[in-house]
Amino acid sequence: KAGVTQTPRYLIKTRGQQVTLSCSPISGHRSVSWYQQTPGQGLQFLFEYFSETQRNKGNFPGRFSGRQFSNSRSEMNVSTLELGDSALYLCASSLVGTVGGDTQYFGPGTRLTVL
Amino acid sequence: TQLLEQSPQFLSIQEGENLTVYCNSSSVFSSLQWYRQEPGEGPVLLVTVVTGGEVKKLKRLTFQFGDARKDSSLHITAAQPGDTGLYLCAGVLNNYGQNFVFGPGTRLSVLP
């Protein structure tokens, strides 16, 4: 079974631009969660999507948004990029979601650098 | 303020040594997970503990969940260079907006 895939793996943008990251979950998984990982703040939860609906959201500004398609693939978008948005963005998929601690499988991440 | 604290932050040991890393919180978790993350990869789940006082063994790794479900430890016996990585604990909080809260991690380096 193929694992979670994320594209692109690396991205360089400049301040003020916007970016879209993509995540393809494991086949059959309906939940996709997004995390931001930085050296200073560690892994922080962005949001979770289940069956095309956002089910949970972390404490990030509205510049961070996401969506999920009917095939469970998910995208996240960051608008008006700031230097502090430079991070590793991780996507994780699970069968039914993180409620109750369902096992999450992480992708390799997208490394975003904002100049 | 981190809901989950991990200690130590960094650990460098020789192959064959034993080590313990800790995950602590003032909050009660319904379950707690340990992950290992290697450079350039996403975290990989090692174990989930759900019952206070629970002990789980995975080869040379022993995981313990505190009786009060506020803390956990990971003990590695006879560490090997392949154990090198970032060890993260993550807790599931009841009645909390975010499903998972991650600790900052312990970066382990096992030297041959």
Side-chain angles (χ1 to χ4, degrees), chain B residues 17 20 44 46-47 60 65 72 76 85 93 95 98 102 109:
Chain B
E17 291 184 6
T20 303
V44 174
L46 296 173
V47 77
R60 294 176 294 101
F65 200 14
S72 180
I76 302 179
L93 282 165
N95 304 317
Q98 300 177 19
F102 277 85
S109 178

Side-chain angles (χ1 to χ4, degrees), chain A residues 73-88:
Chain A
R73 190 178 70 84
S74 177
E75 289 181 348
M76 69 162 280
N77 183 275
V78 188
S79 62
T80 320
L81 284 166
E82 300 177 0
L83 295 178
D85 296 333
S86 293
L88 181 67

